[in-house]
Amino acid sequence: MKLILLGAPGAGKGTQAEILSRKLGIPTISTGNILRAAMKNGTPVGLKAKSFVEAGQLVPDDVVIGIVEERLAESDCAGGYILDGMPRTIPQAEALEKAGIDIDCALSIEIADETIIERMGGRRTCANCGATYHVVSAPPKTEGVCDSCGGELSVRKDDAPGTVKARLEVYHRETEPLKAFYAERGKLKSVANQATIEATTAAIEQALGI
């Protein structure tokens, strides 16, 4: 199964992608994680991306599409994959199609802006491995410490309230039109955000018939 997860920043795409990845036995391709690794390592692409991310803007298409194409060419993607954070714009979706990257379903997680602003204030990210937690809904076993690698957890700059509002504006303007794009192709499924991670997962599994 080749999936795209749509939804505003903080809608829970990363968390649900991990759960689906385990259930379906296919990798999650998170452009955010790929880009964050590049930024942390100070690569030319990473430095280019960093200035856009810290301003709450989208990373340019040519940078993102090049990274995704390279990743999807790897052998573990042969049986399917989940794209998390890509495409973010209609031109990106068209570029994916042009590159021969086809998907079975675009799944949109629907959530109110107010809920996202509140939620992202509680998000914590590991500086080492990029794992994400939430102080209320998905806390680490030890406060401030990553369960996976023991790294320090902190609030990312792009999770600060002012940046979140800017990112939501960009989402509604640039990314939300993708719902119509995939609906026209008969590939859109929408799921309302639920009170818990488990309930949202159940709604997604029902929508996908898995």
Side-chain angles (χ1 to χ4, degrees):
M1 187 179 279
K2 298 171 182 176
L3 287 173
I4 286 172
L5 292 187
L6 298 175
K13 299 186 298 297
T15 300
Q16 295 300 332
E18 279 178 34
I19 295 166
L20 285 169
S21 171
R22 287 195 297 271
K23 184 176 178 73
L24 297 170
I26 55 178
T28 296
I29 314 302
S30 167
T31 48
N33 286 349
I34 297 170
L35 286 169
R36 274 193 287 280
M39 287 190 285
K40 187 184 174 193
N41 296 333
T43 66
V45 171
L47 293 173
K48 194 174 174 186
K50 191 172 186 178
S51 58
F52 290 94
V53 171
E54 289 189 345
Q57 295 174 348
L58 294 176
V59 177
D61 290 357
D62 58 333
V63 178
V64 180
I65 287 163
I67 287 173
V68 171
E69 276 194 274
E70 281 180 4
R71 181 66 186 86
L72 295 185
E74 293 180 24
S75 59
D76 63 337
C77 293
Y81 48 79
I82 301 164
L83 279 182
D84 172 20
M86 168 77 183
R88 289 197 177 186
T89 62
I90 299 282
Q92 282 185 0
E94 290 170 343
L96 285 178
E97 285 188 348
K98 213 172 280 182
I101 297 167
D102 193 26
I103 59 129
D104 300 313
C105 174
L107 184 81
S108 177
I109 302 173
E110 305 294 331
I111 183 168
D113 286 6
E114 297 74 29
T115 307
I116 284 172
I117 292 165
E118 191 180 301
R119 176 185 288 181
M120 288 177 81
R123 194 152 80 167
R124 302 290 180 269
T125 303
C126 175
N128 288 340
C129 71
T132 56
Y133 300 87
H134 193 278
V135 292
V136 177
S137 61
K141 289 170 187 163
T142 305
E143 190 178 339
V145 180
C146 177
D147 293 350
S148 303
C149 73
E152 186 183 347
L153 302 181
S154 60
V155 178
R156 277 173 26 203
K157 279 186 186 174
D158 49 343
D159 286 343
T163 312
V164 171
K165 285 177 184 171
R167 291 172 72 200
L168 286 169
E169 283 170 20
V170 171
Y171 166 76
H172 291 305
R173 186 175 67 247
E174 303 276 355
T175 306
E176 205 160 27
L178 283 170
K179 292 198 285 190
F181 179 90
Y182 286 113
E184 283 168 15
R185 286 154 176 76
K187 293 183 175 180
L188 180 73
K189 293 184 188 292
S190 295
V191 168
N193 175 63
Q194 306 294 316
T196 65
I197 291 170
E198 293 77 14
T200 303
T201 301
I204 288 171
E205 289 177 353
Q206 188 177 358
L208 293 176
I210 57 171

